[in-house]
Amino acid sequence: MLDSQSDNSDLIVEGKLADNERLKRESNFLRGTIQQDLQDRITGGFTKDNFQLIRFHGMYQQDDRDIRAERAKQKLEPLHNVMLRARMPGGVIQPDQWLVIDDFAREHTSYGSIRLTTRQTFQFHGVLKPNIKHMHQVLSSINIDGIATAGDVNRNVLASTNPVESELHAEAYEWAKKISEHLLPKTRAYYEIWLDEEKVHSTEEPILGSNYLPRKFKTTVTVPPNNEMDVHANDLNFVAIAEGGKLVGFNVLVGGGLAMTHGDTSTYPRKADDFGFISLEHTLKIAEHVVTVQRDWGNRVNRKNAKTKYTLDRVGTETFKAEVERRAGVRFEPSRPYEFTSRGDRFGWVDGIDGKQHLTLYILSGRILDYPSRPLKTGLRKIAEIHQGDFRMTANQNLVIAGVPPEQKEEIERIAREHGLIDDLMTPQLKNSMACVALPTCPLAMAEAERFLPELVSNVEGLLAKHGVPDDHLILRVVGCPNGCGRAMLAEAGLVGKGPNKYNFYLGGNRNGTRVPKLYKENVTPDVIYSELDTLIASWVVERTPNEGFGDFVIRKGIVAEVKVSKTDFHA
Ligand code: SRM
Ligand code: SF4
């Protein structure tokens, strides 16, 4: 393996390093003084450095923003707590594990919910300091951890869901686990701090390096034709290529990412570039060296421009790719043909390959909780108590009850219906809408998203009905800030929080998630958005070509310009 010193040192950004670089370097391989902070019960929070370091262990310090002002009035510190994000490659969880996380959410979190995320895992919100260590121990008892689900590392690796649907899906899942393991930090910090493992001093991070990556890094293993995980949101994608039903290798797509900063045109959402095809035996080596090139060339001076997408645009995709080839000792072959023809989850029952069936449930914003008329959490608990297969969390915040034998189908469907987990009245619009968490827990939220979604969807449903197409839909997504966690930057109609009740309104993504939308109206209220959509949907319904999606229509009509190359087109 090559050492971390690249021979292309002119490609490294010079300047004063971001403070996160100092804290990673001084952290003693992610240990920091987290252990001391845990003992300090005067505050519910962590020190400035540990605030960042706990992210590498899967946690974010938060407080409930709904009660922040009231507490400040009473001269109380914010009610600090942590959000935990679990590591769950491919989103697979067993019923016995489910029962344990269900108990923990009820007994030890402020909100009582299990929150499915856009990256095939779950989060607990509102865990107070005295419960944090216990939480990791409970998770460890069921073989779940929070390692590297946040921080400047390779995050939870996604894999096309319904793995038992075909052999390809099962293989994608196996690869997701292997890649996740291969790219994990090697430090034992997590085990020492949370699981009381004996302290070991020497650690090496042969892949991530002692300063870890310049920024977060995201990976998928995707089985076309469904782009259910939105490959273009990810730094590294392995797109499965099959011959005669057998997986033979992957097309490798590098440098996707969706975040931007309002008012900073050096930031933009960007699609991933196609590097070419590799055969299976090179998978881990290529994963490793896309990571090491980004590790060495990524911008460590300005975190806003630190992700792989900016490295590609700065050094050139061909230069980056050639360096990956050089380090891995592997040449990319020309890409093999594949197509994305759909996106999102297939709701309801799907037949498996082995006589088993899978039930995909729509979970509104992934929030599993007992609502007065829809006791979702209790329903899933009851299903977990009898289910013989497993659960699969999707990248769209939904849940698959996978591997149901025919004799249990009726029973599972009955429980799901009784608890509001299946609702025949759900519209295609609802099923194609998504929001990020935003308020009250997300410290970065500028506007509501999850709590605004029901109102937004019901208004758009109303417009579709008004124009005579109640069964049609737009890919509709709302996020509370331009970080874009609900992937609004791959929606046909995307709302990005700008301030309380104000959104930037984007149009022109496509159905399959292969185009970034463009700004249509800036800083507008929901009422303006509804009125604009009223006019746009009216003309779409009348003037569209057969099967033309809303996003394609607004581009064809010149309502917004197409974003072809983000760096030049997105802000133009
Ligand atoms: Fe995200 C930060 C929630 C998927 C881009 N994201 C956050 C934080 C942790 C806020 C913070 O830094 O303090 C949010 C916690 C809110 C809360 O209370 O739970 C948060 N992100 C989420 C989740 C839970 C949204 C959801 O509704 O499901 C998703 C968790 C995924 C997971 O399990 O790992 C989530 N975040 C995404 C995605 C979508 C994706 O990956 O498919 C993106 C856009 C894709 C991308 O990375 O380009 C995304 N989140 C960000 C960013 C911007 C990163 C950047 O490139 O600048 C931040 C802020 C940051 O990192 O500085 C962020
Ligand atoms: Fe928070 Fe912004 Fe992500 Fe929404 S998009 S969860 S508001 S960081």
Side-chain angles (χ1 to χ4, degrees):
M1 203 200 82
L2 236 106
D3 69 21
S4 63
Q5 277 306 310
S6 147
D7 49 3
N8 286 294
S9 51
D10 55 323
L11 297 172
I12 295 168
V13 177
E14 303 284 349
K16 187 173 177 298
L17 296 181
D19 191 48
N20 285 57
E21 295 303 320
R22 174 200 58 75
L23 75 90
K24 284 182 279 184
R25 193 177 57 246
E26 292 174 359
S27 74
N28 186 18
F29 294 95
L30 308 181
R31 292 173 178 86
T33 53
I34 296 173
Q35 225 148 16
Q36 286 91 308
D37 262 12
L38 269 184
Q39 310 306 322
D40 179 359
R41 296 290 160 89
I42 293 170
T43 166
F46 288 83
T47 62
K48 195 167 152 276
D49 282 6
N50 293 335
F51 177 93
Q52 296 286 342
L53 288 174
I54 58 170
R55 297 184 174 188
F56 292 79
H57 303 243
M59 292 173 292
Y60 288 83
Q61 182 174 317
Q62 301 188 322
D63 68 288
D64 188 322
R65 292 177 57 183
D66 285 349
I67 57 170
R68 196 187 275 175
E70 187 52 42
R71 285 183 66 90
K73 231 190 273 168
Q74 294 172 24
K75 301 210 166 13
L76 294 170
E77 76 167 12
L79 188 57
H80 295 305
N81 59 61
V82 301
M83 172 267 274
L84 177 281
R85 185 181 289 162
R87 185 168 67 96
M88 197 125 286
V92 179
I93 183 165
Q94 305 300 325
D96 55 342
Q97 294 175 312
W98 187 272
L99 293 173
V100 174
I101 67 166
D102 178 89
D103 282 340
F104 188 88
R106 188 180 56 254
E107 290 164 13
H108 298 299
T109 73
S110 326
Y111 301 91
S113 65
I114 298 170
R115 173 57 159 76
L116 306 185
T117 77
T118 50
R119 295 192 68 77
Q120 286 189 314
T121 186
F122 68 88
Q123 292 181 174
F124 292 137
H125 287 97
V127 180
L128 299 174
K129 208 186 230 183
N131 291 324
I132 295 177
K133 196 161 171 180
H134 174 61
M135 167 178 68
H136 289 287
Q137 297 189 344
V138 167
L139 290 176
S140 169
S141 73
I142 51 169
N143 291 319
I144 295 177
D145 61 58
I147 300 173
T149 53
D152 298 342
V153 283
N154 180 57
R155 304 278 184 98
N156 195 40
V157 178
L158 307 189
S160 292
T161 46
N162 278 336
V164 284
E165 185 191 341
S166 76
E167 280 163 23
L168 281 185
H169 287 76
E171 283 185 87
Y173 172 51
E174 291 306 318
W175 278 110
K177 283 194 289 190
K178 279 188 228 168
I179 295 165
S180 172
E181 286 298 322
H182 193 66
L183 299 178
L184 269 191
K186 302 291 179 274
T187 171
R188 301 300 295 175
Y190 183 91
Y191 300 92
E192 291 168 14
I193 298 171
W194 311 111
L195 306 178
D196 295 329
E197 191 180 89
E198 211 178 310
K199 201 165 167 52
V200 284
H201 284 285
S202 63
T203 313
E204 269 188 40
E205 293 286 8
I207 299 177
L208 299 171
S210 55
N211 255 33
Y212 297 87
L213 302 183
R215 202 68 167 88
K216 56 172 65 168
F217 190 94
K218 298 180 172 178
T219 305
T220 78
V221 183
T222 296
V223 183
N226 192 2
N227 184 17
E228 66 203 61
M229 293 172 300
D230 278 330
V231 292
H232 294 294
N234 291 276
D235 298 73
L236 173 60
N237 301 278
F238 291 94
V239 177
I241 302 294
E243 275 170 17
K246 282 255 161 278
L247 185 67
V248 293
F250 297 105
N251 281 355
V252 179
L253 269 56
V254 180
L258 301 183
M260 57 182 158
T261 301
H262 286 314
D264 179 349
T265 53
S266 78
T267 66
Y268 43 84
R270 181 195 192 277
K271 284 173 51 179
D273 292 338
D274 191 344
F275 273 27
F277 173 84
I278 51 152
S279 52
L280 287 181
E281 72 268 26
H282 300 314
T283 309
L284 293 182
K285 223 183 294 168
I286 290 295
E288 178 172 328
H289 288 297
V290 173
V291 167
T292 68
V293 176
Q294 163 60 7
R295 174 196 70 193
D296 295 343
W297 291 0
N299 187 335
R300 291 183 187 259
V301 172
N302 180 358
R303 286 179 67 79
K304 286 197 186 309
N305 295 135
K307 285 206 75 185
T308 316
K309 60 181 176 177
Y310 301 117
T311 314
L312 290 185
D313 279 348
R314 180 168 49 78
V315 307
T317 299
E318 285 309 314
T319 308
F320 191 113
K321 177 178 148 184
E323 182 68 2
V324 174
E325 288 180 323
R326 195 181 71 77
R327 292 186 186 198
V330 175
R331 277 217 171 279
F332 288 99
E333 294 172 31
S335 300
R336 305 267 171 102
Y338 72 96
E339 211 188 345
F340 288 130
T341 55
S342 61
R343 183 155 57 150
D345 301 326
R346 284 153 299 175
F347 298 97
W349 290 100
V350 180
D351 287 336
I353 43 167
D354 48 5
K356 306 258 175 69
Q357 289 182 310
H358 318 294
L359 175 63
T360 303
L361 304 170
Y362 176 82
I363 309 286
L364 181 65
S365 295
R367 185 72 69 176
I368 297 174
L369 196 58
D370 280 342
Y371 301 96
S373 59
R374 293 183 301 125
L376 307 185
K377 193 154 173 288
T378 302
L380 285 171
R381 188 178 177 90
K382 285 190 177 163
I383 290 173
E385 280 165 357
I386 60 159
H387 183 36
Q388 297 165 14
D390 52 38
F391 294 102
R392 295 173 189 244
M393 303 178 189
T394 82
N396 300 296
Q397 306 166 332
N398 296 314
L399 191 66
V400 185
I401 302 171
V404 178
E407 62 278 10
Q408 268 202 332
K409 186 178 168 188
E410 214 173 289
E411 168 84 345
I412 286 187
E413 178 159 344
R414 185 185 56 74
I415 301 173
R417 283 187 183 278
E418 279 175 9
H419 294 81
L421 287 157
I422 299 180
D423 175 354
D424 295 328
L425 298 178
M426 271 183 201
T427 60
Q429 183 54 62
L430 181 62
K431 293 175 187 166
N432 284 285
S433 303
M434 195 154 80
C436 71
V437 178
L439 290 152
T441 55
C442 179
L444 308 178
M446 299 173 179
E448 296 282 353
E450 181 177 326
R451 297 195 293 200
F452 169 51
L453 189 71
E455 175 199 315
L456 173 67
V457 172
S458 108
N459 276 285
V460 175
E461 284 169 344
L463 294 173
L464 292 167
K466 174 178 166 189
H467 296 293
V469 287
D471 295 329
D472 229 315
H473 72 272
L474 335 173
I475 307 279
L476 177 70
R477 295 176 175 178
V478 53
V479 290
C481 83
N483 288 317
C485 303
R487 299 196 293 266
M489 283 304 101
L490 287 169
E492 293 183 291
L495 279 60
V496 178
K498 190 87 198 290
N501 210 34
K502 290 276 179 63
Y503 298 87
N504 282 358
F505 183 28
Y506 290 79
L507 293 176
N510 62 11
R511 286 266 153 111
N512 303 334
T514 55
R515 191 170 59 224
V516 164
K518 191 157 168 82
L519 183 62
Y520 175 59
K521 295 277 169 203
E522 199 171 354
N523 206 22
V524 287
T525 59
D527 282 346
V528 173
I529 293 167
Y530 303 143
S531 143
E532 291 291 336
L533 279 175
D534 192 3
T535 314
L536 292 167
I537 291 172
S539 42
W540 173 51
V541 168
V542 175
E543 297 170 45
R544 64 181 162 181
T545 55
N547 296 324
E548 188 176 33
F550 179 76
D552 288 343
F553 173 78
V554 295
I555 297 285
R556 181 170 63 80
K557 284 286 180 182
I559 291 159
V560 289
E562 178 173 357
V563 176
K564 287 187 180 140
V565 179
S566 287
K567 189 179 178 185
T568 48
D569 302 352
F570 185 74
H571 293 289

